[in-house]
Structure formats: structure tokens, C-alpha cells
């Protein structure tokens, strides 16, 4: 996967620990930054493809990414029938 997008992320302007919060308020703060990021979608896809299970990536928390992956698996299973 091409990772050129990483150089254009809004996260480059913020301390990395912002994207690895310990509470819900921290997740919301990271998500606000991601909401304005021009590369949020490739960031999210990167985290999903590499099964990254910590932090906020592409505006999605760990829990949200698990839901996305679960939904994709179910959709794929249904369409494969």
C-alpha cells in the first residue's frame, strides 16, 4: 500500500500521544483533528488493512474500526453467497 499520504496528515502538526488517548474526551479531540485532515480516508484504510488496534486513525477509534471490519466481513460473506 502506498504511504505517501502520511506526509500530508494533520497529525504531523500535533503530538503523537493525542491520537492514543486514554478516555472518550481524548478520542473526540483526535477525531476533531482527523475531521479536517485531507488524508483521513487513506489513513483509515491503512489502519484497517494492517489491523492496527490502538489509537485513532482516519477519525475512527479502535472500537469503530472493529465495527467497520465486522460490517465489511458480513457484507462480503453475504455477497459471496
Amino acid at each position: 500500500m502506498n504511504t505517501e499520504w502520511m506526509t500530508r496528515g494533520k497529525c504531523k502538526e500535533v503530538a503523537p500521544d493525542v491520537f492514543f488517548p486514554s478516555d472518550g474526551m481524548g478520542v473526540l479531540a483526535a477525531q476533531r483533528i482527523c475531521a479536517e485532515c485531507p488524508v483521513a480516508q487513506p489513513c483509515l484504510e491503512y489502519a484497517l488493512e494492517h489491523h492496527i488496534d490502538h489509537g485513532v486513525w482516519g477519525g475512527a477509534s479502535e472500537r469503530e474500526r472493529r465495527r467497520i471490519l465486522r460490517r465489511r466481513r458480513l457484507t462480503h460473506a453475504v455477497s459471496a453467497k
Side-chain angles (χ1 to χ4, degrees):
M1 173 179 236
N2 179 1
T3 57
E4 174 274 331
W5 58 267
M6 288 181 174
T7 63
R8 299 188 334 264
K10 295 282 283 181
C11 57
K12 302 275 289 179
E13 303 168 7
V14 183
D17 61 328
V18 169
F19 297 95
F20 297 91
S22 60
D23 62 13
M25 293 306 292
V27 169
L28 292 174
Q31 288 174 326
R32 280 194 294 274
I33 296 166
C34 294
E36 298 177 6
C37 183
V39 295
Q41 191 59 43
C43 179
L44 174 58
E45 291 303 324
Y46 179 86
L48 294 170
E49 183 176 320
H50 291 89
H51 301 284
I52 298 173
D53 58 0
H54 291 85
V56 175
W57 288 74
S61 67
E62 299 102 341
R63 181 178 291 161
E64 291 167 327
R65 290 195 307 278
R66 283 193 300 271
R67 287 183 192 140
I68 292 167
L69 287 172
R70 191 175 317 120
R71 232 183 350 253
R72 287 183 181 183
R73 278 193 303 270
L74 290 172
T75 300
H76 182 0
V78 169
S79 65
K81 288 184 179 183

